[in-house]
Coordinates of all heavy atoms in Angstrom, one line a residue:
M1 N 5.7 156.0 -98.4 CA 4.8 156.9 -99.1 C 3.8 156.1 -99.9 O 4.1 155.1 -100.5 CB 5.6 157.7 -100.1 CG 4.8 158.6 -101.0 SD 5.8 159.7 -102.1 CE 6.1 158.6 -103.5
S2 N 2.5 156.5 -99.8 CA 1.5 155.8 -100.6 C 0.5 156.8 -101.1 O 0.4 157.9 -100.6 CB 0.8 154.8 -99.7 OG 0.0 155.4 -98.8
V3 N -0.3 156.4 -102.1 CA -1.3 157.2 -102.7 C -2.2 157.8 -101.7 O -2.6 158.9 -101.7 CB -2.0 156.4 -103.8 CG1 -3.2 157.3 -104.4 CG2 -1.1 156.0 -104.9
G4 N -2.6 157.0 -100.7 CA -3.5 157.4 -99.7 C -3.0 158.5 -98.8 O -3.8 159.2 -98.2
E5 N -1.7 158.7 -98.7 CA -1.2 159.8 -97.9 C -1.3 161.1 -98.5 O -1.2 162.2 -97.9 CB 0.3 159.5 -97.6 CG 0.6 158.3 -96.8 CD 2.1 158.1 -96.6 OE1 2.7 159.0 -96.1 OE2 2.5 157.0 -96.9
F6 N -1.6 161.2 -99.8 CA -1.7 162.4 -100.6 C -3.0 162.4 -101.4 O -2.9 162.3 -102.6 CB -0.5 162.6 -101.5 CG 0.8 162.6 -100.7 CD1 1.6 161.5 -100.6 CD2 1.2 163.8 -100.1 CE1 2.7 161.5 -99.9 CE2 2.4 163.8 -99.3 CZ 3.2 162.6 -99.2
P7 N -4.1 162.5 -100.8 CA -5.4 162.4 -101.5 C -5.5 163.6 -102.5 O -5.1 164.7 -102.2 CB -6.5 162.6 -100.5 CG -5.8 163.1 -99.3 CD -4.4 162.7 -99.4
G8 N -5.9 163.2 -103.7 CA -6.0 164.2 -104.8 C -4.8 164.5 -105.6 O -4.8 165.2 -106.6
A9 N -3.6 163.9 -105.2 CA -2.4 164.1 -105.9 C -2.4 163.1 -107.1 O -2.5 161.9 -106.9 CB -1.2 163.8 -105.0
S10 N -2.3 163.6 -108.3 CA -2.3 162.8 -109.5 C -0.9 162.5 -109.9 O 0.0 163.2 -109.6 CB -3.1 163.5 -110.6 OG -2.3 164.6 -111.1
I11 N -0.8 161.4 -110.7 CA 0.4 161.1 -111.3 C 1.0 162.3 -112.1 O 2.2 162.6 -112.1 CB 0.3 159.9 -112.3 CG1 -0.2 158.7 -111.4 CG2 1.6 159.5 -113.0 CD1 -0.6 157.5 -112.3
Q12 N 0.1 162.9 -112.8 CA 0.5 164.1 -113.7 C 1.0 165.3 -112.9 O 1.6 166.2 -113.4 CB -0.7 164.5 -114.6 CG -0.9 163.4 -115.7 CD -2.0 163.7 -116.6 OE1 -3.0 163.1 -116.5 NE2 -1.8 164.7 -117.5
S13 N 0.7 165.3 -111.6 CA 1.4 166.3 -110.8 C 2.6 165.8 -110.1 O 3.6 166.6 -109.9 CB 0.4 166.8 -109.7 OG 0.0 165.8 -108.8
W14 N 2.7 164.5 -109.8 CA 3.9 163.9 -109.2 C 5.1 163.9 -110.1 O 6.2 164.3 -109.7 CB 3.6 162.5 -108.7 CG 3.0 162.4 -107.4 CD1 1.8 161.9 -107.1 CD2 3.5 162.8 -106.1 NE1 1.5 162.0 -105.7 CE2 2.6 162.5 -105.1 CE3 4.7 163.4 -105.8 CZ2 2.8 162.8 -103.8 CZ3 5.0 163.7 -104.4 CH2 4.0 163.4 -103.4
V15 N 4.9 163.5 -111.4 CA 6.1 163.4 -112.3 C 6.8 164.7 -112.4 O 8.1 164.7 -112.2 CB 5.7 162.8 -113.6 CG1 6.8 162.8 -114.6 CG2 5.2 161.3 -113.4
P16 N 6.2 165.8 -112.8 CA 7.0 167.1 -112.9 C 7.6 167.5 -111.6 O 8.7 168.0 -111.6 CB 5.9 168.1 -113.4 CG 4.8 167.3 -114.0 CD 4.8 166.0 -113.2
F17 N 6.9 167.3 -110.5 CA 7.4 167.6 -109.2 C 8.7 166.8 -108.9 O 9.7 167.4 -108.5 CB 6.4 167.4 -108.1 CG 6.9 167.6 -106.7 CD1 7.2 168.8 -106.2 CD2 7.2 166.4 -105.9 CE1 7.7 169.0 -104.9 CE2 7.7 166.6 -104.6 CZ 7.9 167.8 -104.1
L18 N 8.6 165.5 -109.0 CA 9.8 164.7 -108.7 C 10.9 165.0 -109.7 O 12.1 165.1 -109.2 CB 9.4 163.2 -108.8 CG 8.4 162.7 -107.8 CD1 7.9 161.3 -108.1 CD2 9.0 162.8 -106.4
L19 N 10.7 165.1 -111.0 CA 11.8 165.3 -111.9 C 12.4 166.7 -111.7 O 13.6 166.9 -111.8 CB 11.3 165.1 -113.3 CG 11.0 163.7 -113.7 CD1 10.5 163.7 -115.2 CD2 12.1 162.7 -113.5
G20 N 11.5 167.7 -111.4 CA 12.0 169.1 -111.3 C 12.7 169.4 -110.1 O 13.7 170.1 -110.1
T21 N 12.3 168.7 -109.0 CA 13.0 169.0 -107.7 C 14.2 168.2 -107.5 O 15.1 168.6 -106.8 CB 12.0 168.9 -106.5 OG1 11.5 167.5 -106.5 CG2 10.9 169.9 -106.6
T22 N 14.3 167.0 -108.1 CA 15.4 166.2 -107.9 C 16.4 166.2 -109.0 O 17.6 165.9 -108.8 CB 15.0 164.7 -107.6 OG1 14.3 164.2 -108.8 CG2 14.1 164.5 -106.4
L23 N 16.0 166.6 -110.2 CA 16.8 166.6 -111.4 C 16.7 167.9 -112.2 O 16.3 167.8 -113.3 CB 16.5 165.4 -112.2 CG 16.5 164.0 -111.6 CD1 15.9 163.0 -112.4 CD2 18.0 163.6 -111.3
P24 N 17.0 169.0 -111.6 CA 16.8 170.3 -112.3 C 17.7 170.5 -113.5 O 17.4 171.3 -114.3 CB 17.1 171.3 -111.2 CG 18.0 170.7 -110.3 CD 17.6 169.2 -110.3
T25 N 18.7 169.6 -113.7 CA 19.6 169.8 -114.9 C 19.0 169.1 -116.1 O 19.6 169.1 -117.2 CB 21.0 169.2 -114.6 OG1 20.8 167.8 -114.2 CG2 21.7 170.0 -113.5
R26 N 17.8 168.5 -115.9 CA 17.0 167.9 -117.0 C 17.7 166.7 -117.7 O 17.6 166.6 -118.9 CB 16.6 168.9 -118.0 CG 15.8 170.1 -117.5 CD 15.4 171.1 -118.5 NE 14.7 170.5 -119.7 CZ 15.2 170.5 -120.9 NH1 16.3 171.1 -121.2 NH2 14.6 169.9 -121.9
P27 N 18.3 165.7 -117.0 CA 18.7 164.5 -117.7 C 17.5 163.7 -118.1 O 16.4 163.8 -117.5 CB 19.6 163.8 -116.7 CG 18.9 164.2 -115.4 CD 18.5 165.6 -115.6
F28 N 17.7 162.9 -119.1 CA 16.6 161.9 -119.5 C 16.6 160.8 -118.5 O 17.7 160.3 -118.1 CB 16.8 161.4 -120.9 CG 16.3 162.3 -122.0 CD1 17.2 163.2 -122.6 CD2 15.0 162.3 -122.3 CE1 16.7 164.0 -123.6 CE2 14.5 163.1 -123.3 CZ 15.4 164.0 -124.0
V29 N 15.4 160.4 -118.0 CA 15.3 159.4 -116.9 C 14.5 158.2 -117.6 O 13.5 158.4 -118.2 CB 14.5 160.0 -115.7 CG1 14.2 158.9 -114.7 CG2 15.2 161.2 -115.1
P30 N 15.0 157.0 -117.3 CA 14.3 155.8 -117.9 C 12.9 155.8 -117.4 O 12.6 155.9 -116.2 CB 15.2 154.7 -117.4 CG 16.5 155.2 -117.1 CD 16.3 156.6 -116.6
G31 N 12.0 155.5 -118.3 CA 10.6 155.4 -118.0 C 10.4 154.3 -116.9 O 9.5 154.4 -116.1
D32 N 11.1 153.2 -117.1 CA 11.0 152.1 -116.1 C 11.3 152.5 -114.7 O 10.6 152.0 -113.7 CB 12.0 150.9 -116.4 CG 11.6 150.2 -117.8 OD1 10.5 150.4 -118.3 OD2 12.5 149.5 -118.3
G33 N 12.2 153.5 -114.5 CA 12.5 154.0 -113.2 C 11.3 154.8 -112.6 O 11.0 154.7 -111.4
I34 N 10.8 155.6 -113.5 CA 9.6 156.5 -113.0 C 8.5 155.6 -112.7 O 7.8 155.8 -111.6 CB 9.2 157.4 -114.2 CG1 10.4 158.4 -114.4 CG2 7.9 158.2 -113.8 CD1 10.2 159.3 -115.7
I35 N 8.2 154.5 -113.5 CA 7.1 153.6 -113.2 C 7.4 152.9 -111.9 O 6.5 152.8 -111.1 CB 7.0 152.6 -114.4 CG1 6.4 153.4 -115.6 CG2 6.0 151.5 -114.0 CD1 6.5 152.6 -116.9
A36 N 8.6 152.4 -111.7 CA 8.9 151.6 -110.5 C 8.7 152.5 -109.2 O 8.1 152.1 -108.2 CB 10.3 151.1 -110.5
L37 N 9.1 153.8 -109.3 CA 9.0 154.7 -108.2 C 7.5 154.9 -107.9 O 7.1 154.9 -106.7 CB 9.7 156.0 -108.5 CG 9.5 157.1 -107.4 CD1 10.2 156.7 -106.1 CD2 10.1 158.4 -107.9
L38 N 6.7 155.2 -108.9 CA 5.3 155.5 -108.7 C 4.5 154.3 -108.4 O 3.5 154.4 -107.7 CB 4.7 156.3 -109.8 CG 5.3 157.7 -109.9 CD1 4.9 158.4 -111.2 CD2 4.9 158.6 -108.8
E39 N 4.9 153.1 -108.8 CA 4.2 151.9 -108.4 C 4.4 151.7 -106.9 O 3.5 151.2 -106.2 CB 4.8 150.7 -109.2 CG 4.2 150.5 -110.5 CD 4.7 149.2 -111.2 OE1 5.9 148.9 -111.2 OE2 3.9 148.5 -111.8
Y40 N 5.6 152.0 -106.4 CA 5.9 151.9 -105.0 C 5.0 152.7 -104.2 O 4.6 152.4 -103.1 CB 7.4 152.2 -104.7 CG 7.8 152.1 -103.3 CD1 8.0 150.8 -102.7 CD2 7.9 153.2 -102.5 CE1 8.4 150.7 -101.4 CE2 8.3 153.1 -101.2 CZ 8.5 151.8 -100.6 OH 8.9 151.7 -99.3
A41 N 4.6 153.9 -104.8 CA 3.7 154.8 -104.1 C 2.2 154.4 -104.2 O 1.3 155.0 -103.6 CB 3.8 156.2 -104.7
G42 N 1.9 153.3 -105.0 CA 0.6 152.8 -105.1 C -0.1 153.0 -106.4 O -1.3 152.5 -106.5
Y43 N 0.5 153.6 -107.4 CA -0.2 153.7 -108.7 C 0.1 152.5 -109.5 O 1.1 151.8 -109.3 CB 0.4 155.0 -109.4 CG 0.1 156.3 -108.7 CD1 1.1 156.9 -107.9 CD2 -1.1 156.9 -108.9 CE1 0.8 158.1 -107.3 CE2 -1.4 158.1 -108.2 CZ -0.5 158.7 -107.4 OH -0.7 159.9 -106.8
T44 N -0.8 152.3 -110.5 CA -0.6 151.1 -111.4 C 0.3 151.5 -112.6 O 0.3 152.7 -113.0 CB -1.9 150.6 -111.9 OG1 -2.5 151.6 -112.8 CG2 -2.9 150.2 -110.8
A45 N 1.0 150.5 -113.1 CA 1.9 150.8 -114.2 C 1.1 151.3 -115.4 O 1.6 152.2 -116.1 CB 2.7 149.5 -114.6
S46 N 0.0 150.8 -115.7 CA -0.8 151.2 -116.8 C -1.2 152.7 -116.7 O -1.2 153.5 -117.6 CB -2.0 150.4 -117.1 OG -2.9 150.3 -116.0
S47 N -1.6 153.1 -115.5 CA -2.0 154.5 -115.3 C -0.8 155.4 -115.3 O -0.9 156.6 -115.8 CB -2.8 154.7 -113.9 OG -2.0 154.4 -112.8
I48 N 0.3 155.0 -114.9 CA 1.6 155.8 -115.0 C 1.9 156.0 -116.5 O 2.3 157.1 -116.9 CB 2.7 155.1 -114.2 CG1 2.3 155.0 -112.8 CG2 4.0 155.9 -114.4 CD1 3.2 154.0 -112.0
R49 N 1.8 154.9 -117.3 CA 2.2 155.0 -118.7 C 1.2 156.0 -119.4 O 1.7 156.8 -120.2 CB 2.1 153.7 -119.4 CG 3.3 152.8 -119.1 CD 3.3 151.5 -119.9 NE 4.3 150.6 -119.4 CZ 4.1 149.6 -118.4 NH1 2.8 149.4 -118.0 NH2 5.1 148.9 -118.0
V50 N -0.1 156.0 -119.1 CA -1.0 156.9 -119.7 C -0.7 158.3 -119.3 O -0.7 159.2 -120.1 CB -2.5 156.5 -119.2 CG1 -3.4 157.7 -119.6 CG2 -2.9 155.2 -119.8
A51 N -0.3 158.5 -118.0 CA 0.0 159.9 -117.5 C 1.3 160.4 -118.2 O 1.4 161.5 -118.6 CB 0.2 159.9 -116.0
L52 N 2.3 159.5 -118.4 CA 3.5 159.9 -119.1 C 3.2 160.3 -120.5 O 3.7 161.3 -121.0 CB 4.6 158.8 -119.1 CG 5.2 158.5 -117.7 CD1 6.0 157.3 -117.7 CD2 6.0 159.7 -117.2
S53 N 2.4 159.6 -121.2 CA 2.0 159.9 -122.5 C 1.3 161.2 -122.6 O 1.6 162.1 -123.5 CB 1.1 158.8 -123.1 OG 0.6 159.1 -124.4
R54 N 0.4 161.5 -121.7 CA -0.3 162.8 -121.7 C 0.6 163.9 -121.4 O 0.5 165.0 -121.9 CB -1.5 162.7 -120.6 CG -2.6 161.8 -121.1 CD -3.7 161.8 -120.1 NE -4.8 160.9 -120.5 CZ -5.7 160.4 -119.8 NH1 -5.7 160.7 -118.5 NH2 -6.7 159.6 -120.3
L55 N 1.5 163.7 -120.5 CA 2.5 164.8 -120.1 C 3.4 165.1 -121.3 O 3.8 166.3 -121.5 CB 3.3 164.4 -118.9 CG 2.6 164.4 -117.6 CD1 3.4 163.6 -116.5 CD2 2.3 165.8 -117.1
C56 N 3.7 164.1 -122.1 CA 4.5 164.4 -123.4 C 3.6 165.1 -124.4 O 4.0 166.1 -125.0 CB 5.0 163.1 -124.0 SG 6.3 162.3 -123.0
A57 N 2.3 164.7 -124.5 CA 1.4 165.3 -125.5 C 1.2 166.8 -125.1 O 1.0 167.6 -126.1 CB 0.1 164.6 -125.5
D58 N 1.1 167.1 -123.8 CA 0.8 168.5 -123.5 C 2.0 169.4 -123.4 O 2.0 170.6 -123.0 CB -0.1 168.6 -122.2 CG 0.7 168.3 -120.9 OD1 1.9 168.2 -120.9 OD2 0.0 168.2 -119.9
G59 N 3.2 168.8 -123.6 CA 4.4 169.6 -123.6 C 5.1 169.7 -122.3 O 6.1 170.5 -122.2
T60 N 4.6 169.0 -121.3 CA 5.3 169.1 -120.0 C 6.6 168.3 -120.0 O 7.6 168.7 -119.3 CB 4.3 168.5 -118.9 OG1 3.1 169.3 -118.9 CG2 4.9 168.5 -117.5
L61 N 6.6 167.1 -120.6 CA 7.8 166.3 -120.7 C 8.2 166.1 -122.2 O 7.5 166.3 -123.1 CB 7.4 164.8 -120.2 CG 7.1 164.7 -118.8 CD1 6.8 163.2 -118.5 CD2 8.1 165.2 -117.8
E62 N 9.5 165.8 -122.3 CA 10.1 165.4 -123.6 C 10.4 164.0 -123.5 O 10.8 163.5 -122.4 CB 11.4 166.2 -123.9 CG 11.2 167.7 -124.0 CD 12.5 168.5 -124.1 OE1 13.6 167.9 -123.9 OE2 12.4 169.7 -124.4
C63 N 10.2 163.2 -124.6 CA 10.5 161.8 -124.6 C 11.5 161.5 -125.6 O 11.5 162.0 -126.7 CB 9.2 161.1 -124.9 SG 9.3 159.3 -124.9
R64 N 12.4 160.5 -125.3 CA 13.4 160.0 -126.2 C 13.2 158.5 -126.2 O 13.2 157.9 -125.1 CB 14.8 160.4 -125.8 CG 15.9 159.8 -126.6 CD 17.2 160.0 -126.0 NE 17.6 161.4 -126.1 CZ 18.7 161.8 -125.4 NH1 19.5 161.0 -124.7 NH2 19.0 163.1 -125.5
R65 N 13.2 157.9 -127.4 CA 13.1 156.4 -127.5 C 14.5 155.9 -127.8 O 15.2 156.4 -128.6 CB 12.1 156.1 -128.6 CG 10.7 156.5 -128.5 CD 9.9 155.7 -127.6 NE 9.9 154.3 -128.1 CZ 9.3 153.3 -127.5 NH1 8.6 153.6 -126.4 NH2 9.3 152.1 -127.9
E66 N 14.8 154.8 -127.1 CA 16.1 154.1 -127.4 C 15.7 152.6 -127.5 O 15.5 152.0 -126.5 CB 17.1 154.4 -126.3 CG 17.6 155.8 -126.2 CD 18.6 156.0 -125.1 OE1 19.0 155.1 -124.4 OE2 19.0 157.2 -125.0
G67 N 15.5 152.2 -128.7 CA 15.0 150.9 -128.9 C 13.5 150.8 -128.4 O 12.7 151.6 -128.8
R68 N 13.3 149.8 -127.5 CA 12.0 149.7 -127.0 C 11.8 150.5 -125.7 O 10.7 150.5 -125.1 CB 11.7 148.2 -126.7 CG 11.6 147.4 -128.0 CD 11.4 145.9 -127.7 NE 10.3 145.6 -126.7 CZ 9.0 145.5 -126.9 NH1 8.6 145.7 -128.2 NH2 8.2 145.2 -126.0
K69 N 12.8 151.1 -125.2 CA 12.8 151.9 -124.0 C 12.5 153.4 -124.2 O 13.0 153.9 -125.2 CB 14.1 151.7 -123.2 CG 14.5 150.3 -122.9 CD 13.6 149.8 -121.8 CE 14.1 148.4 -121.4 NZ 13.3 147.8 -120.4
S70 N 11.8 153.9 -123.3 CA 11.5 155.4 -123.4 C 12.2 156.1 -122.2 O 12.3 155.5 -121.1 CB 10.0 155.7 -123.3 OG 9.3 155.2 -124.4
K71 N 12.7 157.3 -122.4 CA 13.3 158.1 -121.4 C 12.6 159.4 -121.4 O 12.2 159.9 -122.5 CB 14.8 158.3 -121.6 CG 15.6 157.0 -121.5 CD 17.1 157.3 -121.6 CE 17.9 156.0 -121.2 NZ 19.3 156.3 -121.2
Y72 N 12.5 160.1 -120.3 CA 11.7 161.3 -120.2 C 12.5 162.3 -119.4 O 13.4 162.0 -118.6 CB 10.4 161.1 -119.4 CG 9.5 160.0 -120.0 CD1 9.7 158.7 -119.7 CD2 8.6 160.4 -121.0 CE1 8.9 157.7 -120.3 CE2 7.8 159.4 -121.5 CZ 7.9 158.1 -121.2 OH 7.1 157.1 -121.8
R73 N 12.2 163.6 -119.7 CA 12.8 164.7 -119.0 C 11.8 165.9 -119.1 O 10.9 165.9 -119.9 CB 14.2 165.1 -119.4 CG 14.2 165.9 -120.8 CD 15.5 166.3 -121.1 NE 15.6 167.0 -122.4 CZ 16.7 167.4 -123.0 NH1 17.8 167.2 -122.4 NH2 16.6 168.1 -124.1
L74 N 11.9 166.8 -118.1 CA 11.1 168.0 -118.2 C 11.4 168.9 -119.4 O 12.5 169.0 -119.8 CB 11.3 168.8 -116.9 CG 10.7 168.3 -115.6 CD1 11.0 169.2 -114.5 CD2 9.2 168.1 -115.7
A75 N 10.3 169.4 -119.9 CA 10.5 170.4 -121.0 C 11.0 171.7 -120.4 O 10.8 171.9 -119.2 CB 9.1 170.6 -121.7
P76 N 11.7 172.5 -121.2 CA 12.4 173.7 -120.6 C 11.4 174.6 -119.9 O 11.8 175.2 -118.8 CB 12.9 174.4 -121.9 CG 13.1 173.3 -122.9 CD 12.0 172.3 -122.6
Q77 N 10.2 174.8 -120.4 CA 9.3 175.8 -119.7 C 8.8 175.2 -118.4 O 8.5 176.0 -117.5 CB 8.1 176.1 -120.6 CG 7.1 175.0 -120.8 CD 7.5 174.0 -122.0 OE1 8.6 174.1 -122.5 NE2 6.5 173.2 -122.4
M78 N 8.9 173.9 -118.2 CA 8.5 173.4 -116.9 C 9.6 173.7 -115.8 O 9.2 173.9 -114.6 CB 8.2 171.9 -117.0 CG 6.9 171.5 -117.6 SD 5.5 172.3 -116.8 CE 5.6 171.7 -115.1
I79 N 10.8 173.7 -116.2 CA 11.9 174.0 -115.2 C 11.6 175.4 -114.7 O 11.7 175.7 -113.5 CB 13.3 173.9 -115.9 CG1 13.6 172.4 -116.2 CG2 14.3 174.6 -115.0 CD1 13.7 171.6 -114.9
E80 N 11.3 176.4 -115.6 CA 11.0 177.7 -115.2 C 9.9 177.8 -114.2 O 9.9 178.5 -113.2 CB 10.7 178.6 -116.4 CG 11.9 178.8 -117.4 CD 11.4 179.4 -118.7 OE1 10.3 180.0 -118.8 OE2 12.2 179.4 -119.6
T81 N 8.8 177.0 -114.5 CA 7.7 176.9 -113.6 C 8.1 176.4 -112.2 O 7.7 176.9 -111.2 CB 6.6 176.1 -114.2 OG1 6.2 176.7 -115.4 CG2 5.4 176.0 -113.3
I82 N 8.8 175.3 -112.2 CA 9.2 174.7 -110.9 C 10.1 175.6 -110.1 O 10.0 175.7 -108.9 CB 9.9 173.3 -111.2 CG1 8.7 172.3 -111.6 CG2 10.6 172.8 -110.0 CD1 9.2 171.0 -112.1
V83 N 11.1 176.3 -110.8 CA 11.9 177.2 -110.1 C 11.1 178.3 -109.5 O 11.3 178.7 -108.3 CB 13.0 177.8 -111.1 CG1 13.7 179.0 -110.5 CG2 14.0 176.7 -111.4
S84 N 10.1 178.8 -110.2 CA 9.2 179.9 -109.7 C 8.4 179.4 -108.4 O 8.4 180.1 -107.4 CB 8.3 180.3 -110.7 OG 7.3 181.2 -110.2
V85 N 7.9 178.1 -108.5 CA 7.2 177.6 -107.4 C 8.1 177.4 -106.2 O 7.7 177.7 -105.1 CB 6.5 176.3 -107.8 CG1 5.9 175.5 -106.6 CG2 5.4 176.5 -108.8
D86 N 9.3 176.9 -106.5 CA 10.3 176.7 -105.4 C 10.6 178.0 -104.6 O 10.6 178.0 -103.4 CB 11.6 176.1 -105.9 CG 11.5 174.6 -106.2 OD1 10.6 174.0 -105.8 OD2 12.5 174.1 -106.8
R87 N 10.7 179.1 -105.4 CA 11.0 180.4 -104.8 C 9.8 180.7 -103.9 O 10.0 181.2 -102.8 CB 11.2 181.4 -105.8 CG 12.6 181.5 -106.3 CD 12.8 182.7 -107.2 NE 13.7 182.4 -108.3 CZ 13.5 182.4 -109.5 NH1 12.3 182.7 -110.0 NH2 14.4 182.0 -110.4
R88 N 8.6 180.6 -104.4 CA 7.4 180.9 -103.6 C 7.3 180.1 -102.3 O 7.0 180.6 -101.3 CB 6.1 180.8 -104.4 CG 6.0 182.0 -105.4 CD 4.7 181.9 -106.1 NE 5.0 181.1 -107.3 CZ 4.1 180.4 -108.0 NH1 2.8 180.5 -107.6 NH2 4.4 179.7 -109.0
V89 N 7.6 178.8 -102.4 CA 7.5 177.9 -101.3 C 8.6 178.3 -100.2 O 8.3 178.4 -99.0 CB 7.7 176.4 -101.7 CG1 8.0 175.5 -100.5 CG2 6.6 175.9 -102.5
E90 N 9.8 178.6 -100.7 CA 10.9 179.1 -99.8 C 10.5 180.4 -99.1 O 10.9 180.6 -97.9 CB 12.2 179.3 -100.5 CG 12.8 178.0 -100.9 CD 14.1 178.2 -101.8 OE1 14.5 179.3 -101.9 OE2 14.5 177.2 -102.3
Q91 N 9.8 181.3 -99.7 CA 9.4 182.5 -99.2 C 8.1 182.5 -98.3 O 7.9 183.4 -97.5 CB 9.1 183.6 -100.3 CG 10.4 183.9 -101.0 CD 11.5 184.5 -100.2 OE1 11.2 185.4 -99.3 NE2 12.7 184.1 -100.4
F92 N 7.4 181.4 -98.4 CA 6.1 181.3 -97.6 C 6.4 181.4 -96.1 O 7.2 180.7 -95.6 CB 5.4 179.9 -97.9 CG 4.1 179.8 -97.3 CD1 3.0 180.4 -97.8 CD2 4.0 179.0 -96.1 CE1 1.8 180.3 -97.2 CE2 2.8 178.9 -95.5 CZ 1.7 179.6 -96.0
G93 N 5.7 182.3 -95.5 CA 5.8 182.4 -94.1 C 6.8 183.4 -93.6 O 6.9 183.8 -92.5
R94 N 7.7 183.8 -94.5 CA 8.7 184.8 -94.2 C 8.0 186.2 -94.1 O 7.0 186.5 -94.8 CB 9.8 184.9 -95.2 CG 10.6 183.6 -95.2 CD 11.8 183.8 -96.0 NE 12.6 182.5 -96.0 CZ 13.6 182.3 -96.8 NH1 14.0 183.2 -97.7 NH2 14.3 181.2 -96.7
E95 N 8.5 187.1 -93.3 CA 7.9 188.4 -93.2 C 8.1 189.2 -94.5 O 9.2 189.1 -95.1 CB 8.6 189.1 -92.1 CG 8.3 188.5 -90.7 CD 9.0 189.3 -89.6 OE1 9.3 190.5 -89.7 OE2 9.3 188.6 -88.6
A96 N 7.1 189.9 -94.8 CA 7.2 190.8 -96.0 C 8.1 192.0 -95.6 O 8.1 192.4 -94.5 CB 5.8 191.3 -96.4
P97 N 8.8 192.5 -96.6 CA 9.7 193.7 -96.3 C 8.8 194.8 -95.7 O 7.7 195.1 -96.2 CB 10.2 194.1 -97.7 CG 10.1 192.9 -98.5 CD 8.9 192.1 -98.0
G98 N 9.3 195.5 -94.7 CA 8.6 196.6 -94.1 C 7.6 196.2 -93.0 O 7.0 197.1 -92.5
T99 N 7.5 195.0 -92.7 CA 6.6 194.6 -91.6 C 7.4 194.3 -90.4 O 8.6 194.0 -90.4 CB 5.8 193.3 -92.0 OG1 6.7 192.2 -92.2 CG2 5.0 193.6 -93.2
V100 N 6.7 194.3 -89.2 CA 7.3 194.1 -88.0 C 6.7 192.8 -87.4 O 5.5 192.6 -87.5 CB 7.0 195.2 -87.0 CG1 7.6 194.9 -85.6 CG2 7.6 196.5 -87.6
A101 N 7.5 191.9 -86.9 CA 7.1 190.6 -86.4 C 6.0 190.9 -85.2 O 6.2 191.8 -84.4 CB 8.2 189.8 -85.8
G102 N 5.0 190.1 -85.2 CA 4.0 190.2 -84.2 C 2.9 191.2 -84.5 O 2.0 191.4 -83.6
Q103 N 2.9 191.9 -85.6 CA 1.8 192.8 -85.9 C 0.9 192.2 -86.9 O 1.2 191.5 -87.8 CB 2.4 194.1 -86.5 CG 3.1 194.9 -85.4 CD 3.5 196.3 -86.0 OE1 3.6 196.5 -87.2 NE2 3.8 197.2 -85.1

């Protein structure tokens, strides 16, 4: 996976997506792990840190400090949003009630 494979995808969209779809129980995740994952995808550590800070400031993420380390998790309202999006994605392309296939 690389940044080039997903043009227009920002760090601020990746973090909630990754945390929400893989960790819906909302555990705190070490910031170093998030940074390592997104660096592997081609983002810079400094841009990831800025994005994490902004996501905390806008209420998307919650942050916990343990010494010099930061841990992050999704804010409760983001879980609701991700669950709603997941439902819509799962339903995409399915027939609407009362329709007949091929019409």
